[in-house]
Every structure is written in structure tokens, then in C-alpha cells.
Amino acid sequence: MAKKEKKKQSKRYDHLSEMARITRLMKEMYERGQSALCEVRNSVIHGRGVYAACDIEKETQVIEYLGEYIDKDESEKRAWDQAAKAEESGDAAVYIFTLDKKWDIDGNVPWNDARLINHSCEPNCEAWIEEDQIFIYALRDIKEGEELTFDYGFDIECYEDHPCLCGTESCVGYIVSREQWPQLKEKLSDKNALQAS
Ligand SMILES: C[S@@+](CC[C@H](N)C(=O)[O-])C[C@H]1O[C@@H](n2cnc3c(N)ncnc32)[C@H](O)[C@@H]1O
Ligand SMILES: [Zn+2]
């Protein structure tokens, strides 16, 4: 075989083995992003959600929250992009989790099923950071078929942009972190008083 043709063929093999490596990695990520304990279904709260596929005991590690590791500059840039998109479409999905002082995880990747977990004012799950990974744990015993939820912990600042449809008895009407509920309740009662006057 001519030297030139040989070189061409070896380049083709390089591409093929790189593609095989990427396909293998993607398969691994998709497997890691799923859990036998839960499944994705249409949600009664919003869009798609994640449901318990069997009874889950309190404190069980349910699923990993996977994503891309990004530094704080990139994270801020993406947060602004997301806010701009949200203004256009009215949909404000936020997938960025704070990991530590240096790094965040952007969970907006298709192999991360946990990104579809909705918020609730009475959540049955919680996200825990372990070293450089994020896992979703059951906060209490969960029955098969229950939708999995956690507290998004959103700041009160733009609460009106995030109405809550969790439908639980303790729902405060907006996706706002539990620590800020007293402030939110005050704001809402002032608003009601103003409207009534
Ligand atoms: C990370 S996504 C969760 C998955 C989402 N259900 C989907 O189908 O893409 C977050 C978005 O889901 C919606 N969402 C989550 N929990 C909600 C709730 N309790 N009430 C209303 N909307 C909710 C909001 O639009 C939020 O920005
Ligand atoms: Zn709610």
C-alpha cells in the first residue's frame, strides 16, 4: 500500500476508535444517570418529573445528579443566559448546583434524569454533596408511584417568577427556600392588604 494511502487509513482508524470511545463514555453516563429506584414520567406538578419505581426507605441514595463541572465564571455566564432565555420563553428551568467555592455542576445534560425532579414545599428528597458529586437522598419513606421532589431553595428576590404548583398542604404558592418562608408570608400578606384597601 502506498505511504499516503496507509496514512489516510490510519487516520480513519483513529477517528473510529475516538468515536467508539465517545459512544462508550456516553453509554456509561446514561447508565450512571439512571436508577432502578425511579423513573421519568409526565408530572402532575410540571412537565416531566421523576417517580419512585418501588418503595424507597428513608435515607436511601436514590440517584446521582450528574452534569458538567464548570467554574464560577462559566456558571455566572450560563446563569445569565438562562435568565435571558427565561425572559423570552417564560420558562425558567435552572439546573446549576453549587458544588464548592470553585466549582458548580450544570445538570442540563440529557443523561441526567435527576434534572427532571420537581420542587415541592413538602419535599420527600434532598440533594447532598459528597466530595465532588451530588446525590439525591430520600428524606422519608417514599411509596412506589410517588413523585420525587426536593426543595429548590430559590432566593425570595424574584419569587413572582416562580409560582409553585406542588399542590401540597403547606404550599406557600411560590418556589422559595424554606428559610425565607417567614419573609415571603409577610410580603404576601402586605400585598393582600394593599389589594383589599
Ligand atoms: C429543573 S426543571 C424540572 C423538570 C421539569 N418538570 C421539566 O419537565 O423540564 C425545573 C423547572 O420545572 C418547573 N417546576 C419544578 N417544580 C415546580 C413546581 N413545584 N411548581 C411549578 N413549576 C415547577 C419550573 O418551571 C422549574 O423552573
Ligand atoms: Zn409548593
Side-chain angles (χ1 to χ4, degrees):
M1 200 184 293
K3 211 174 171 187
K4 209 170 161 192
E5 187 55 30
K6 255 191 181 168
K7 211 173 167 187
K8 237 180 172 180
Q9 202 169 44
S10 118
K11 252 196 181 157
R12 254 201 307 274
Y13 287 141
D14 282 353
H15 284 316
L16 283 177
S17 66
E18 182 58 8
M19 270 169 65
R21 194 183 67 84
I22 292 170
T23 310
R24 207 174 46 244
L25 273 177
M26 296 270 284
K27 198 170 161 260
E28 272 170 29
M29 292 312 269
Y30 269 100
E31 277 168 9
R32 210 172 122 192
Q34 300 202 333
S35 158
L37 303 182
C38 58
E39 62 195 17
V40 173
R41 282 200 242 146
N42 288 335
S43 161
V44 288
I45 299 177
H46 175 274
R48 283 182 300 163
V50 180
Y51 285 77
C54 55
D55 290 350
I56 300 173
E57 258 183 52
K58 183 177 171 175
E59 288 180 11
T60 303
Q61 188 188 90
V62 182
I63 192 169
E64 184 174 357
Y65 190 96
L66 288 170
E68 195 185 341
Y69 288 78
I70 52 174
D71 64 23
K72 298 292 175 188
D73 289 343
E74 180 60 23
S75 181
E76 200 173 321
K77 193 174 150 290
R78 291 190 190 188
W80 280 108
D81 289 350
Q82 279 176 1
K85 263 191 215 148
E87 215 158 278
E88 259 174 45
S89 64
D91 206 6
V94 176
Y95 300 98
I96 297 176
F97 259 88
T98 302
L99 198 58
D100 55 33
K101 278 190 193 153
K102 228 173 149 194
W103 299 100
D104 289 347
I105 286 188
D106 184 355
N108 194 14
V109 291
W111 49 86
N112 177 28
D113 276 3
R115 80 191 189 287
L116 298 171
I117 299 177
N118 283 316
H119 163 93
S120 172
C121 298
E122 273 176 44
N124 52 20
C125 289
E126 191 172 45
W128 290 355
I129 296 169
E130 288 178 9
E131 308 246 332
D132 58 351
Q133 286 172 282
I134 298 170
F135 294 97
I136 306 298
Y137 279 86
L139 271 175
R140 57 163 171 80
D141 289 346
I142 300 171
K143 286 263 165 253
E144 177 182 347
E146 266 189 70
E147 178 162 3
L148 305 186
T149 53
F150 63 83
D151 179 357
Y152 281 13
F154 283 2
D155 192 84
I156 194 168
E157 202 180 321
C158 310
Y159 75 94
E160 279 161 319
D161 294 342
H162 307 290
C164 184
L165 299 172
C166 75
T168 60
E169 267 183 35
S170 20
C171 183
V172 284
Y174 295 93
I175 304 180
V176 167
S177 99
R178 184 170 276 268
E179 290 92 73
Q180 293 177 324
W181 280 11
Q183 278 163 269
L184 177 69
K185 285 178 181 166
E186 225 172 273
K187 269 183 194 273
L188 293 176
S189 80
D190 287 353
K191 207 168 143 186
N192 285 341
L194 204 70
Q195 274 165 359
S197 65

